[in-house]
Amino acid sequence: MEELDLRDLLRILRKRLAMIILVTLIATVTSGVVSLFLLTPIYESSTEIIVNKSETSEQNVINLQDVQTNLQLVDTYSVIVKSPRIIDQVIETLELPYTTQELIEQIQVTAVENSQVISIKVQDPSQEQAVAIANTTAEVFQTEVVEIMNVDNVQILNAAEVKPDAGPVKPRVLLNVAIAFVVGAMTAVGIAFLLEYLDNTFKTEREIEQILELPVLGTIARMDNDTSLRKADRNRAKVKGEAYEQKSATS
């Protein structure tokens, strides 16, 4: 198998440089256009809630065992937040044009590490609607969890708010363009080497010696058509001139 050294690799890249630049540029520009003009901007809003056991008049001090129990139940509360019982009420209250499953996919519920705090994040094309969904979900959960888990000490720590200076979280234009640039360049380089691999013609004396293992006895210089025609015309004119001189001398 033919081995390529660094000079061969550089020669292939230089030979296909225009194609590599063109493919990379097309991929980068296409990604930017799609991200800016074709993809719908998505905004994110979040709210946080905390769930504790019910407080009694005899004991208002939260002990370590209660905290540990609540930490173990946080995952259960996270599932309840995204249950149809909660989501259907949110859709009905806000008169949303989403199905239950569509709205569930827009909501992300996470438990803040080593705490009793639950974060509810909502993504939506409208920032105002994302804020409304996040706050309504927290409020409905605060009401329904009393019956579901017999817990009546749910507090909303931070309500979602509309932020005029907040930008969309998706699409990430710069990230998409950077990824497209890298992928486009790698694809173009791969195409360049593939074309070189499929090209089985000899272009230099060195390739003949390497592949056929035969010495090169001679080469024919390459000439363009215009140069060949001009030389042929000069040769014909020279022959005609010599013939005319010989004819004049004999006469």
Side-chain angles (χ1 to χ4, degrees):
M1 183 178 179
E2 181 185 0
E3 295 182 359
L4 297 177
D5 57 21
L6 181 58
R7 288 177 298 178
D8 293 325
L9 298 178
L10 294 177
R11 176 184 60 80
I12 295 173
L13 294 179
R14 285 197 300 267
K15 178 182 176 182
R16 309 285 182 179
L17 183 60
M19 184 271 294
I20 293 174
I21 294 176
L22 181 61
V23 172
T24 304
L25 184 62
I26 291 175
T28 304
V29 172
T30 301
S31 175
V33 171
V34 170
S35 299
L36 287 173
F37 301 106
L38 298 182
L39 297 181
T40 303
I42 301 297
Y43 295 86
E44 184 177 87
S45 185
S46 64
T47 182
E48 294 179 342
I49 58 178
I50 184 171
V51 184
N52 292 313
K53 277 189 171 182
S54 302
E55 294 182 356
T56 62
S57 58
E58 297 178 356
Q59 182 180 6
N60 292 327
V61 179
I62 300 177
N63 57 49
L64 183 60
Q65 184 177 358
D66 291 339
V67 173
Q68 188 64 32
T69 300
N70 289 331
L71 286 174
Q72 295 174 354
L73 290 174
V74 165
D75 290 338
T76 302
Y77 298 143
S78 300
V79 175
I80 295 175
V81 171
K82 297 182 68 174
S83 66
R85 178 169 177 174
I86 305 297
I87 299 301
D88 288 343
Q89 291 192 44
V90 174
I91 294 175
E92 182 179 356
T93 301
L94 298 177
E95 299 181 351
L96 299 175
Y98 302 130
T99 64
T100 302
Q101 186 59 37
E102 288 174 344
L103 186 56
I104 288 175
E105 293 175 355
Q106 292 182 222
I107 299 176
Q108 180 183 6
V109 182
T110 57
V112 180
E113 187 176 1
N114 297 326
S115 72
Q116 300 169 245
V117 178
I118 299 174
S119 174
I120 302 175
K121 295 181 179 180
V122 179
Q123 293 186 350
D124 194 87
S126 169
Q127 183 185 183
E128 292 76 9
Q129 187 159 279
V131 169
I133 293 173
N135 289 333
T136 304
T137 302
E139 293 168 359
V140 172
F141 172 77
Q142 186 179 27
T143 302
E144 293 296 322
V145 75
V146 177
E147 298 181 6
I148 298 174
M149 296 292 295
N150 194 25
V151 174
D152 59 359
N153 191 20
V154 178
Q155 302 294 329
I156 298 178
L157 296 180
N158 299 307
E161 298 179 352
V162 176
K163 300 177 181 179
D165 57 341
V169 295
K170 294 189 298 186
R172 298 180 179 179
V173 179
L174 293 180
L175 178 61
N176 292 347
V177 169
I179 293 175
F181 176 82
V182 174
V183 173
M186 294 176 61
T187 302
V189 171
I191 294 174
F193 285 110
L194 177 62
L195 293 175
E196 188 69 18
Y197 175 78
L198 296 177
D199 187 359
N200 56 6
T201 59
F202 296 122
K203 297 180 176 58
T204 63
E205 297 85 351
R206 182 169 174 264
E207 291 179 355
I208 297 176
E209 293 176 347
Q210 286 182 339
I211 298 175
L212 299 181
E213 298 181 354
L214 295 175
V216 178
L217 300 179
T219 60
I220 300 175
R222 183 175 180 178
M223 300 172 59
D224 56 38
N225 294 333
D226 293 340
T227 303
S228 301
L229 291 175
R230 286 195 296 268
K231 288 185 177 180
D233 291 339
R234 286 197 296 268
N235 290 335
R236 285 195 296 268
K238 183 178 180 181
V239 170
K240 290 181 179 179
E242 292 176 352
Y244 179 77
E245 290 176 358
Q246 291 177 359
K247 184 177 179 181
S248 299
T250 55
S251 60

